Amino acid sequence: MAEDKAWALISEVGGDGYVAEVVDIMKQHFHIICLEDFLRNPALHGPKIQVLFMWNYCPAAEPSLLKSLPSLKVVANGGVGVDHLDVPLINSFGVKVANTPGVVSDATADIAMALLLASARKVVEGHMVSVDPKTTHIPQSLMGVEVTGSTLGIVGMGDIGYKIAQRSKGFNMRILYHNRNRRSVEEEQAVGATYCKNMDDLLKESDFVVLVVNLTPETTGLVGRRELSIMKPTATLVNVSRGLVVDQDALVEALQSGTIRAAALDVTHPEPLPRDHPLLRLPNALILPHVGTNTFTTTKKMVERMVENAVAAVKGLHVPNEVKLY
């Protein structure tokens, strides 16, 4: 029965790749070969590989690799965003693209709230004071800002954005949102959210602005100097979408000048930032290394969904989460 399994290409086990426990999920359905082993003899391995499992943007679905995989049926991406994939190019090879929507929403919403709370209450700064052997008193600089009862503006009210709204309701926050399409009245009422057709209105009124949009040509640079300038000087920008959604040079200026109070980011461009990037030296910038989905539970769910998509593609069945850009 094992001989009937199709072959799949993955990045690596450990390191920047998969935790060992989830690779077993793949092995239930596929023979697995790591990129390093594949590159030793692509002529031998290339013709038999039908699935490319992509994790943390690797293996990159570049033309040179696609040309060496004549039997490839699907690029199964771990995560929702596909801005790193040239979907039309991949499709031109007769290969489908699939992602993992839904399963990442809870973990990403959790990290958005973690960033918001940590920035507002200066959690990291407080930890550094607590563990500093020179600490003899609690400095007034640890005074934070109130989250309960504040105004939250959510830009992008998809599944993740809506889950952030659900969590924010527990803090009695006033919730504004901007989205291409307005949610139903029932959905708005369930979380107490108010729709802002104009994003500027949301930016002007919010104490915390959370960005939860997909990266597209329309959302690239969505928040720049103008947008930052109309935010409250006491406001915090939280980004859990993609780094390129924000003009980082403008953000540095806004944080240095006090145009806004703070930024809390799970994403930057590039990732990681160059070690001499000015954002890394700003005390009012809290930065995580794109760990929004990094829980074992969510990772397992993502891999299970990747495998589900891949199995369907290999069998010639409907791919549940096929990405179609039309």
Side-chain angles (χ1 to χ4, degrees), residues 140-161:
Q140 288 297 314
S141 61
L142 290 180
M143 189 70 68
V145 297
E146 196 84 5
V147 173
T148 298
S150 62
T151 298
L152 172 68
I154 302 173
V155 181
M157 194 66 139
D159 194 40
I160 297 171

mmCIF file of all heavy atoms in Angstrom, residues 140-161:
data_model
loop_
_atom_site.group_PDB
_atom_site.id
_atom_site.type_symbol
_atom_site.label_atom_id
_atom_site.label_comp_id
_atom_site.label_asym_id
_atom_site.label_seq_id
_atom_site.Cartn_x
_atom_site.Cartn_y
_atom_site.Cartn_z
ATOM 1 N N GLN A 140 8.139 55.519 36.520
ATOM 2 C CA GLN A 140 6.877 56.035 36.005
ATOM 3 C C GLN A 140 6.745 55.833 34.498
ATOM 4 O O GLN A 140 5.637 55.904 33.953
ATOM 5 C CB GLN A 140 6.755 57.530 36.334
ATOM 6 C CG GLN A 140 6.503 57.822 37.802
ATOM 7 C CD GLN A 140 5.180 57.246 38.275
ATOM 8 O OE1 GLN A 140 4.156 57.381 37.626
ATOM 9 N NE2 GLN A 140 5.216 56.595 39.438
ATOM 10 N N SER A 141 7.852 55.560 33.821
ATOM 11 C CA SER A 141 7.811 55.351 32.372
ATOM 12 C C SER A 141 7.012 54.112 31.986
ATOM 13 O O SER A 141 6.662 53.926 30.827
ATOM 14 C CB SER A 141 9.231 55.232 31.814
ATOM 15 O OG SER A 141 9.900 54.117 32.395
ATOM 16 N N LEU A 142 6.695 53.270 32.970
ATOM 17 C CA LEU A 142 5.898 52.072 32.683
ATOM 18 C C LEU A 142 4.404 52.358 32.677
ATOM 19 O O LEU A 142 3.597 51.436 32.533
ATOM 20 C CB LEU A 142 6.208 50.969 33.702
ATOM 21 C CG LEU A 142 7.601 50.329 33.593
ATOM 22 C CD1 LEU A 142 7.778 49.258 34.650
ATOM 23 C CD2 LEU A 142 7.799 49.734 32.201
ATOM 24 N N MET A 143 4.028 53.613 32.848
ATOM 25 C CA MET A 143 2.607 53.963 32.788
ATOM 26 C C MET A 143 2.078 53.671 31.384
ATOM 27 O O MET A 143 2.607 54.151 30.386
ATOM 28 C CB MET A 143 2.415 55.445 33.112
ATOM 29 C CG MET A 143 0.972 55.867 33.300
ATOM 30 S SD MET A 143 0.257 55.202 34.821
ATOM 31 C CE MET A 143 1.195 56.113 36.060
ATOM 32 N N GLY A 144 1.040 52.862 31.300
ATOM 33 C CA GLY A 144 0.485 52.491 30.003
ATOM 34 C C GLY A 144 -0.800 53.222 29.696
ATOM 35 O O GLY A 144 -1.139 54.228 30.334
ATOM 36 N N VAL A 145 -1.509 52.723 28.688
ATOM 37 C CA VAL A 145 -2.795 53.303 28.316
ATOM 38 C C VAL A 145 -3.892 52.266 28.494
ATOM 39 O O VAL A 145 -3.649 51.057 28.413
ATOM 40 C CB VAL A 145 -2.779 53.816 26.856
ATOM 41 C CG1 VAL A 145 -1.767 54.931 26.700
ATOM 42 C CG2 VAL A 145 -2.492 52.693 25.877
ATOM 43 N N GLU A 146 -5.093 52.759 28.752
ATOM 44 C CA GLU A 146 -6.234 51.888 29.022
ATOM 45 C C GLU A 146 -6.726 51.203 27.744
ATOM 46 O O GLU A 146 -6.872 51.848 26.699
ATOM 47 C CB GLU A 146 -7.366 52.707 29.632
ATOM 48 C CG GLU A 146 -8.445 51.889 30.295
ATOM 49 C CD GLU A 146 -8.090 51.508 31.728
ATOM 50 O OE1 GLU A 146 -7.040 51.974 32.236
ATOM 51 O OE2 GLU A 146 -8.853 50.754 32.332
ATOM 52 N N VAL A 147 -6.979 49.914 27.837
ATOM 53 C CA VAL A 147 -7.564 49.161 26.728
ATOM 54 C C VAL A 147 -9.080 49.091 26.890
ATOM 55 O O VAL A 147 -9.836 49.351 25.951
ATOM 56 C CB VAL A 147 -6.963 47.744 26.641
ATOM 57 C CG1 VAL A 147 -7.707 46.914 25.600
ATOM 58 C CG2 VAL A 147 -5.472 47.820 26.308
ATOM 59 N N THR A 148 -9.528 48.762 28.090
ATOM 60 C CA THR A 148 -10.960 48.673 28.351
ATOM 61 C C THR A 148 -11.647 50.010 28.061
ATOM 62 O O THR A 148 -11.210 51.061 28.519
ATOM 63 C CB THR A 148 -11.208 48.273 29.813
ATOM 64 O OG1 THR A 148 -10.635 46.985 30.042
ATOM 65 C CG2 THR A 148 -12.704 48.226 30.122
ATOM 66 N N GLY A 149 -12.695 49.947 27.250
ATOM 67 C CA GLY A 149 -13.458 51.136 26.932
ATOM 68 C C GLY A 149 -12.877 51.999 25.833
ATOM 69 O O GLY A 149 -13.462 53.021 25.475
ATOM 70 N N SER A 150 -11.733 51.610 25.285
ATOM 71 C CA SER A 150 -11.119 52.396 24.210
ATOM 72 C C SER A 150 -11.777 52.069 22.871
ATOM 73 O O SER A 150 -12.624 51.180 22.774
ATOM 74 C CB SER A 150 -9.617 52.123 24.146
ATOM 75 O OG SER A 150 -9.371 50.758 23.844
ATOM 76 N N THR A 151 -11.367 52.782 21.829
ATOM 77 C CA THR A 151 -11.935 52.576 20.497
ATOM 78 C C THR A 151 -10.963 51.790 19.630
ATOM 79 O O THR A 151 -9.796 52.185 19.481
ATOM 80 C CB THR A 151 -12.262 53.920 19.816
ATOM 81 O OG1 THR A 151 -13.248 54.602 20.600
ATOM 82 C CG2 THR A 151 -12.801 53.697 18.409
ATOM 83 N N LEU A 152 -11.440 50.694 19.079
ATOM 84 C CA LEU A 152 -10.642 49.829 18.209
ATOM 85 C C LEU A 152 -11.121 49.971 16.776
ATOM 86 O O LEU A 152 -12.323 49.861 16.495
ATOM 87 C CB LEU A 152 -10.781 48.368 18.646
ATOM 88 C CG LEU A 152 -10.161 47.321 17.715
ATOM 89 C CD1 LEU A 152 -8.641 47.437 17.719
ATOM 90 C CD2 LEU A 152 -10.593 45.909 18.120
ATOM 91 N N GLY A 153 -10.189 50.219 15.860
ATOM 92 C CA GLY A 153 -10.516 50.266 14.445
ATOM 93 C C GLY A 153 -9.895 49.071 13.737
ATOM 94 O O GLY A 153 -8.676 48.885 13.780
ATOM 95 N N ILE A 154 -10.716 48.251 13.108
ATOM 96 C CA ILE A 154 -10.245 47.062 12.403
ATOM 97 C C ILE A 154 -10.324 47.316 10.904
ATOM 98 O O ILE A 154 -11.405 47.563 10.368
ATOM 99 C CB ILE A 154 -11.080 45.820 12.781
ATOM 100 C CG1 ILE A 154 -11.034 45.562 14.283
ATOM 101 C CG2 ILE A 154 -10.595 44.591 12.004
ATOM 102 C CD1 ILE A 154 -11.977 44.458 14.754
ATOM 103 N N VAL A 155 -9.190 47.260 10.238
ATOM 104 C CA VAL A 155 -9.145 47.437 8.788
ATOM 105 C C VAL A 155 -8.998 46.064 8.162
ATOM 106 O O VAL A 155 -7.936 45.453 8.198
ATOM 107 C CB VAL A 155 -7.979 48.353 8.372
ATOM 108 C CG1 VAL A 155 -7.974 48.530 6.852
ATOM 109 C CG2 VAL A 155 -8.086 49.703 9.064
ATOM 110 N N GLY A 156 -10.110 45.579 7.605
ATOM 111 C CA GLY A 156 -10.160 44.224 7.062
ATOM 112 C C GLY A 156 -10.982 43.339 7.985
ATOM 113 O O GLY A 156 -10.468 42.793 8.963
ATOM 114 N N MET A 157 -12.274 43.200 7.695
ATOM 115 C CA MET A 157 -13.188 42.474 8.584
ATOM 116 C C MET A 157 -13.537 41.125 7.984
ATOM 117 O O MET A 157 -14.701 40.764 7.840
ATOM 118 C CB MET A 157 -14.438 43.309 8.852
ATOM 119 C CG MET A 157 -15.291 42.817 10.021
ATOM 120 S SD MET A 157 -14.469 42.964 11.596
ATOM 121 C CE MET A 157 -15.828 43.541 12.630
ATOM 122 N N GLY A 158 -12.500 40.374 7.605
ATOM 123 C CA GLY A 158 -12.716 38.994 7.195
ATOM 124 C C GLY A 158 -12.820 38.115 8.426
ATOM 125 O O GLY A 158 -13.182 38.585 9.519
ATOM 126 N N ASP A 159 -12.461 36.853 8.282
ATOM 127 C CA ASP A 159 -12.593 35.911 9.394
ATOM 128 C C ASP A 159 -11.710 36.320 10.569
ATOM 129 O O ASP A 159 -12.147 36.323 11.714
ATOM 130 C CB ASP A 159 -12.233 34.499 8.913
ATOM 131 C CG ASP A 159 -12.677 33.435 9.905
ATOM 132 O OD1 ASP A 159 -13.782 33.563 10.470
ATOM 133 O OD2 ASP A 159 -11.924 32.462 10.113
ATOM 134 N N ILE A 160 -10.454 36.675 10.286
ATOM 135 C CA ILE A 160 -9.545 37.071 11.363
ATOM 136 C C ILE A 160 -10.012 38.370 12.007
ATOM 137 O O ILE A 160 -10.066 38.489 13.235
ATOM 138 C CB ILE A 160 -8.109 37.217 10.838
ATOM 139 C CG1 ILE A 160 -7.590 35.869 10.322
ATOM 140 C CG2 ILE A 160 -7.187 37.754 11.933
ATOM 141 C CD1 ILE A 160 -6.273 35.954 9.589
ATOM 142 N N GLY A 161 -10.358 39.350 11.192
ATOM 143 C CA GLY A 161 -10.823 40.621 11.721
ATOM 144 C C GLY A 161 -12.039 40.459 12.613
ATOM 145 O O GLY A 161 -12.142 41.105 13.668
#
